[in-house]
């Protein structure tokens, strides 16, 4: 059942501005004086919004609730924009963004652009003898996604030569102008993701997900153009189509995108089945497909586009499309050539109209466990390494070149840098969402669940089971084992249920459900531990326990029949106290959740097409009656991890309703780069999207109290802030008929 509540926004028809345009910049210019920190002005500018938020919080404190969900590895990103010269003999890496949240996918504006000249007119520091480095980029600060312009000033008494501060971070404060280019919180009432910004004259072109196509498994990603003076916004992508990774030609006349066209997304989780389309930047007209298979287009000149694709030999490589000079729309005359050789992965190309002999690329070599930025010499057909000599053990993503070709930018993990406010990851990250009565948080873990009073959260760390207060304090590890899925007992204080064993395993794999009292420690040979009670006895993949509100029973998933179905057992004695099979059939019923009013058990099932990978949400009464399908995203779709609201009237779940929002290859690896968090009424109506991003959100839980909507940093922290898998699915080696053994694709 699909029942979207969000109406199509009029913003796509160019009627309502996203920003104050010239008025905003005029206010900004008049507010600045010599050595004035722009953070002070931004604070004043947002004061009214802050006051309103406090009033809203007070109102929600007694009536609101909270949802906590997981994004595997997201807290470890800590991306910032860095730059260095394309003169690879210098070691002059500089940080451009401020270490606040996650900053990525940058763009160097031209010296002729409207914004460049506006920020030049703002005198920040009279001792600055050189023009600023300016970067436009995507940032996820303040719990939502926006596009910022940073102008970072350097020079003066301390820096007589550019490059004199090798590998150092540019100072912030009085040396930084920072301008949010789009409305920071809502677009016509909609939270949205932004991506791949670029500027042509006084227009900002970018991807946004603020318009709902009102069809399941349809991407919300579309390309928009916002006039930076008036704020007038136009949708360039046709309705019903999704576009990714826009790039503007040197003249500004044409924009190229990666798109699946009318075919749409078909569930791809690795390389997307996109082609390269070209259209007029001014209004999206004269749209034509120029390349059948490719992504991440980048203009070299008015008739040459570089892009990436996975080649027939299994290596991601850069290709060149030469368009007919007589008429770009004559797609049948386009010449496509492979540029980079096999033997390494090369993707996300960047070009500059003034750097004719070089393109910048991201590479993944079999000799490195990290992604790096390199230049490729088109004349000599050879690579020039840039980032590996400087930061060999950090991932580097999505290069972009300055208009004159002298600088290359990219984003990478911050590491221990002066610009970062705090290098520790966030334990709880507050995410803005359309429902003001629900506080939404991403947790640095998986499978969270709330205690009955909402004051504590238990979650798994893969491995390990942890408990923390809902304000982020008092974190403790309860179990060291590999656990997944969690649920609290409604009646016995401190009792938590979880399943111990490998995730994503077969029916016969040893996985058992245990109960553990997180308030009762006992001494043993290994020190203080928490006693647990094993509730299942056969180990046939028993998982996803959920307790009945009267505290008597546990519903769970088991593979003991040869198929994963639902069972109910005694909450204290487990199987020994009684066992009843609730569902039966040659399919998978899993991820069950008992409603707080005791009436229903929600679960995910592939019973429509067993083994086909498609899951829908079903309801069933605890006595086995009333089975019905509630939410499905369509044929081939996935809707998983249902969880009831505290009043049992709504559901939160993860789904591919919104398909993908960006090219997966441009991001760190996610098993399913399409999951977003949704809520709906318990009858399946009123579906509403809560999260917008290009990675996988999942395993949500709904608690009974309204958590204060502020980030919580995990302290103390001794791990790595960049400990994530960059290309899990690239580890598959390509098969060569002429080789005795395949070469590794990712080390």
């Amino acid at each position: 059942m699909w029942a979207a509540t969000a109406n199509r926004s009029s913003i796509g028809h160019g009627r309502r501005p996203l920003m104050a345009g010239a008025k905003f910049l005029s206010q900004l210019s008049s507010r600045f004086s010599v050595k004035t920190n722009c953070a002070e002005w931004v604070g004043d500018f947002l004061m009214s919004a802050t006051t309103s938020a406090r009033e809203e919080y007070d109102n929600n404190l007694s009536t609101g609730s909270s949802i906590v969900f997981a994004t595997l590895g997201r807290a470890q990103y800590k991306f910032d924009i860095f730059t260095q010269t394309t003169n690879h003999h210098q070691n002059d890496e500089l940080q451009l963004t401020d270490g606040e949240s996650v900053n990525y996918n940058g763009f160097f504006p031209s010296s002729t652009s409207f914004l460049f000249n506006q920020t030049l007119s703002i005198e920040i520091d009279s001792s600055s003898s050189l023009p600023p480095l300016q970067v436009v980029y995507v940032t996820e600060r303040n719990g939502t996604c926006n596009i910022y312009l940073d102008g970072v000033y350097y020079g003066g008494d301390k820096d007589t030569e550019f490059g004199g501060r090798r590998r150092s971070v540019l100072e912030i404060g009085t040396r930084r102008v920072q301008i949010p280019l789009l409305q920071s919180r809502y677009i016509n009432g909609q939270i949205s993701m932004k991506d791949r910004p670029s500027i042509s004259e006084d227009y900002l072109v970018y991807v946004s997900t603020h318009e709902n196509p009102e069809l399941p498994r349809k991407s919300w990603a579309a390309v928009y153009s916002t006039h930076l003076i008036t704020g007038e916004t136009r949708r360039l992508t046709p309705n019903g189509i999704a576009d990714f990774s826009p790039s503007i030609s040197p003249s500004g006349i044409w924009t190229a995108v990666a798109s699946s066209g009318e075919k749409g997304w078909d569930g791809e989780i690795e390389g997307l089945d996109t082609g390269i389309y070209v259209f007029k930047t001014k209004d999206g007209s004269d749209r034509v497909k120029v390349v059948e298979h490719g992504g991440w287009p980048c203009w070299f000149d008015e008739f040459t586009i570089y892009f990436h694709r996975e080649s027939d030999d299994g290596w991601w490589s850069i290709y060149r499309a030469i368009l007919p000079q007589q008429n770009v729309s004559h797609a049948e005359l386009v010449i496509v050539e492979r540029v980079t050789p096999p033997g390494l992965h090369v993707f996300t190309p960047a070009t500059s109209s003034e750097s004719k002999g070089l393109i910048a690329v991201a590479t993944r070599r079999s000799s490195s466990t990290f992604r790096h930025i390199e230049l490729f010499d088109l004349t000599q057909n050879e690579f020039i390494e840039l980032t590996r000599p400087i930061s060999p053990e950090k991932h580097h993503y999505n290069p972009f070149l300055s208009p004159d070709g002298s600088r290359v930018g990219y984003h990478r993990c911050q590491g221990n840098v002066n610009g970062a406010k705090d290098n520790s990851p966030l334990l709880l990250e507050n995410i803005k969402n359309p429902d003001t009565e629900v506080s939404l948080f991403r947790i640095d873990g998986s499978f969270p669940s709330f205690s009955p009073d909402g004051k504590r959260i238990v979650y798994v760390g893969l491995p390990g089971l942890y408990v923390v207060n809902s304000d982020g304090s008092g974190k403790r590890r309860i179990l060291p084992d590999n656990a997944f899925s969690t649920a609290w007992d409604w009646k016995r204080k401190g009792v938590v249920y979880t399943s111990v064993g490998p995730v994503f395993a077969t029916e016969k794999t040893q996985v058992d459900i245990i109960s553990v009292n997180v308030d009762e420690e006992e001494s043993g040979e290994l020190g203080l531990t928490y006693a647990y009670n094993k509730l299942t006895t056969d180990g046939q993949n028993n998982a996803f326990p959920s307790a009945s509100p009267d505290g008597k029973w546990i519903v769970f998933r088991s593979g003991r029949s040869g198929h994963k179905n639902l069972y109910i057992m005694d909450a204290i004695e487990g199987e020994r106290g009684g066992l009843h099979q609730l569902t039966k059939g040659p399919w998978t019923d899993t991820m069950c959740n008992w409603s707080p009013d005791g009436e229903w058990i929600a679960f995910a099932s592939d019973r429509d097409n067993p083994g086909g990978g498609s899951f829908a949400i079903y309801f069933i009464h605890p006595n086995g009656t009333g089975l019905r399908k509630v939410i499905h995203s369509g044929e081939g779709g996935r809707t998983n991890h249902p969880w009831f609201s505290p009043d049992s009237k709504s559901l939160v779940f993860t789904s591919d309703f919104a398909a993908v929002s960006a090219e997966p290859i441009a991001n760190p690896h996610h098993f399913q780069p399409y999951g977003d968090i949704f809520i709906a009424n318990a009858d399946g109506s009123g579906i509403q999207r809560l999260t917008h991003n290009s990675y996988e959100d999942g395993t949500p839980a709904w608690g009974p109290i309204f958590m204060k909507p502020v980030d919580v940093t995990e302290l103390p922290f001794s791990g790595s802030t960049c400990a994530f898998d960059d290309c899990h699915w690239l580890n598959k080696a390509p098969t060569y008929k002429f080789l005795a053994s395949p070469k590794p694709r990712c080390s």
Side-chain angles (χ1 to χ4, degrees):
M1 183 180 298
W2 174 257
T5 58
N7 295 322
R8 185 172 299 279
S9 167
S10 61
I11 199 74
H13 305 287
R15 295 298 182 189
R16 193 173 297 197
L18 297 182
M19 58 171 286
K23 180 181 178 182
F24 180 92
L25 289 172
S26 174
Q27 288 178 323
L28 183 63
S29 299
S30 64
R31 186 75 184 188
F32 272 103
S33 59
V34 176
K35 296 183 181 293
T36 297
N37 190 329
C38 79
E40 176 184 341
W41 182 86
V42 172
D44 293 343
F45 184 76
L46 297 177
M47 183 59 69
S48 60
T50 303
T51 302
S52 175
R54 280 200 300 267
E55 294 174 352
E56 189 175 272
Y57 170 69
D58 291 339
N59 292 334
N60 291 333
L61 193 59
S62 59
T63 60
S65 58
S66 297
I67 292 172
V68 174
F69 66 95
T71 308
L72 189 62
R74 167 59 176 72
Q76 309 299 325
Y77 288 3
K78 288 289 183 180
F79 290 148
D80 262 315
I81 304 289
F82 289 76
T83 181
Q84 59 178 290
T85 63
T86 51
N87 183 348
H88 58 284
H89 298 296
Q90 294 188 23
N91 182 0
D92 58 359
E93 184 182 64
L94 298 167
Q95 180 178 341
L96 294 182
T97 49
D98 58 6
E100 177 74 15
S101 186
V102 177
N103 307 300
Y104 55 95
N105 286 358
F107 173 83
F108 286 126
S110 167
S111 60
T112 62
S113 73
F114 168 74
L115 273 178
F116 194 100
N117 292 313
Q118 282 290 326
T119 54
L120 274 178
S121 68
I122 303 171
E123 186 179 11
I124 296 292
D125 191 337
S126 59
S127 66
S128 295
S129 58
L130 298 174
L133 285 174
Q134 295 193 334
V135 62
V136 176
Y137 61 98
V138 180
T139 182
E140 294 185 3
R141 65 193 67 208
N142 303 319
T144 188
C145 199
N146 201 356
I147 297 172
Y148 272 44
L149 168 78
D150 279 19
V152 184
Y153 288 70
Y154 59 90
D157 297 336
K158 294 182 180 180
D159 306 308
T160 57
E161 288 184 23
F162 182 70
R165 306 173 65 189
R166 293 184 177 181
R167 299 186 60 188
S168 64
V169 177
L170 290 179
E171 294 178 359
I172 59 174
T174 61
R175 292 175 174 264
R176 179 181 299 274
V177 175
Q178 189 171 81
I179 305 172
L181 298 184
L182 298 174
Q183 190 184 75
S184 60
R185 191 174 183 188
Y186 296 104
I187 298 179
N188 201 27
Q190 279 289 93
I191 301 293
S192 63
M193 187 200 84
K194 314 294 188 304
D195 199 21
R196 283 303 301 276
S198 56
I199 292 177
S200 179
E201 296 181 344
D202 48 3
Y203 284 89
L204 174 69
V205 176
Y206 56 99
V207 171
S208 178
T209 60
H210 67 267
E211 284 192 283
N212 182 359
E214 300 182 0
L215 290 172
R217 303 193 87 212
K218 283 286 188 180
S219 175
W220 296 28
V223 174
Y224 297 83
S225 172
T226 294
H227 191 230
L228 292 169
I229 298 174
T230 66
E232 183 179 10
T233 295
R234 180 188 296 272
R235 179 179 174 127
L236 303 181
T237 301
N239 290 329
I241 303 294
D243 285 343
F244 312 103
S245 312
S247 173
I248 304 175
S249 69
S251 69
I253 295 175
W254 297 100
T255 293
V257 295
S259 179
S260 299
E262 294 182 357
K263 176 181 69 68
W265 179 65
D266 196 29
E268 310 101 286
I269 62 173
E270 298 178 358
L272 298 184
D273 185 16
T274 57
I276 306 298
Y277 289 74
V278 172
F279 52 76
K280 291 286 184 63
T281 305
K282 65 178 181 179
D283 57 9
S285 64
D286 296 337
R287 182 183 177 101
V288 61
K289 181 194 282 190
V290 296
V291 174
E292 182 63 32
H293 173 48
W296 205 268
C298 194
W299 292 88
F300 191 65
D301 55 39
E302 284 301 299
F303 302 100
T304 309
I305 297 174
Y306 284 81
F307 61 95
H308 63 210
R309 70 161 60 146
E310 186 176 14
S311 304
D312 292 339
D313 56 22
W315 297 102
W316 282 79
S317 302
I318 304 302
Y319 286 76
R320 174 171 49 226
I322 303 174
L323 311 182
Q325 296 191 21
Q326 297 82 4
N327 192 332
V328 170
S329 64
H330 288 173
E332 70 277 5
L333 301 179
V334 174
I335 300 172
V336 176
E337 305 168 334
R338 185 173 183 172
V339 175
T340 58
L344 76 166
H345 290 297
V346 191
F347 22 65
T348 58
T351 61
S352 166
S353 59
E354 298 299 323
S355 183
K356 297 297 185 182
L358 297 172
I359 61 174
V361 296
T363 65
R364 187 64 186 261
R365 294 177 174 269
S366 58
S367 59
S368 174
T369 56
F370 294 89
R371 190 182 298 205
H372 283 287
I373 305 303
E374 304 188 35
L375 298 176
F376 186 74
D377 190 317
L378 297 168
T379 303
Q380 301 297 322
N381 291 324
E382 63 181 19
F383 290 94
I384 303 169
E385 290 192 315
L386 291 180
T387 60
R388 188 155 69 159
I390 298 174
S391 304
E393 296 186 352
K394 288 185 174 66
H395 292 297
H396 302 73
Y397 292 86
N398 307 351
F400 54 100
L401 286 169
S402 60
D404 64 2
S406 66
R407 305 200 65 82
V408 60
Y410 46 85
H411 62 270
R412 70 160 172 85
C413 289
Q414 297 164 4
N416 296 318
V417 295
N418 297 330
K421 293 185 177 180
D422 191 342
N423 288 318
S424 299
L426 294 175
L427 175 62
L428 292 166
E429 180 184 10
N430 179 239
I431 307 297
K432 300 296 187 299
N433 79 92
D435 192 333
T436 59
E437 293 186 359
V438 177
S439 187
L440 183 65
F441 283 87
R442 176 183 290 119
I443 193 168
D444 187 16
S446 296
F447 300 102
S449 63
F450 286 89
S451 60
D453 60 7
K455 295 181 179 180
R456 290 190 288 180
I457 301 170
V458 65
Y459 66 96
V460 300
L462 295 175
L465 181 71
Y466 295 83
V467 66
V468 65
N469 296 327
S470 58
D471 64 1
S473 65
K475 177 182 172 181
R476 293 175 289 143
R477 188 173 78 163
I478 306 302
L479 291 172
D481 306 281
N482 189 65
F484 67 98
S485 73
T486 65
W488 292 76
D489 189 281
W490 290 84
K491 298 298 183 180
R492 294 183 295 154
K493 184 180 179 182
V495 173
V496 169
Y497 303 96
T498 189
S499 44
V500 179
V503 189
F504 303 123
T506 63
E507 284 81 358
K508 296 186 179 301
T509 304
Q510 181 74 32
V511 181
D512 278 300
I513 292 173
I514 65 170
S515 65
V516 55
N517 193 320
V518 300
D519 295 331
E520 293 183 1
E521 296 178 315
E522 62 179 24
S523 298
E525 295 181 359
L526 300 179
L528 291 176
T529 60
Y530 295 85
Y532 66 86
N533 180 28
K534 183 179 175 184
L535 299 179
T536 53
T537 59
D538 71 342
Q540 300 285 304
N541 206 332
N542 305 293
F544 294 100
S546 181
S548 62
D550 61 9
K552 296 180 179 180
W553 308 102
I554 298 292
V555 63
F556 65 101
R557 186 247 1 242
S558 179
R560 65 189 61 212
S561 69
H563 304 285
K564 294 176 181 177
N565 296 143
L566 301 186
Y567 294 78
I568 294 177
M569 65 179 172
D570 187 90
I572 299 176
E573 299 296 327
E575 289 187 43
R576 296 178 296 274
L579 181 69
H580 168 68
Q581 185 168 0
L582 183 62
T583 65
K584 185 177 182 180
W587 46 69
T588 294
D589 297 333
T590 187
M591 305 172 190
C592 40
N593 182 250
W594 211 311
S595 65
D597 62 9
E599 287 295 312
W600 293 102
I601 293 170
F603 63 98
S605 177
D606 68 349
R607 57 179 59 211
D608 279 349
N609 182 22
S614 178
F615 281 81
I617 292 177
Y618 288 78
F619 279 11
I620 191 171
H621 288 304
N623 63 5
T625 64
L627 177 70
R628 59 188 175 95
K629 186 194 299 185
V630 179
I631 301 171
H632 192 204
S633 66
E635 184 178 356
R638 292 194 175 200
T639 303
N640 294 327
H641 297 290
W643 199 283
F644 282 98
S645 62
D647 62 4
S648 302
K649 295 180 180 179
S650 302
L651 283 177
V652 63
F653 53 93
T654 185
S655 179
D656 63 357
F657 276 144
V660 293
S661 297
E663 294 189 57
I665 192 65
N667 288 334
H669 166 72
H670 280 260
F671 293 102
Q672 300 171 166
Y674 52 74
D676 287 289
I677 304 300
F678 292 79
I679 56 174
N681 298 323
D683 62 2
S685 65
I687 294 175
Q688 187 176 29
R689 183 178 182 179
L690 296 189
T691 63
H692 291 249
N693 53 62
S694 58
Y695 29 82
E696 178 190 0
D697 295 330
T699 64
W702 206 329
I705 65 171
F706 186 82
M707 295 164 56
K708 186 177 181 180
V710 295
D711 295 343
V712 177
T713 301
E714 183 170 358
L715 291 173
F717 178 74
S718 59
S720 170
T721 57
C722 292
F724 54 80
D725 188 352
D726 173 60
C727 60
H728 173 84
W729 46 268
L730 286 178
N731 284 323
K732 298 178 296 184
T735 301
Y736 293 94
K737 295 180 180 179
F738 53 87
L739 291 178
S741 60
K743 290 184 178 180
R745 297 175 66 184
C746 246
S747 58

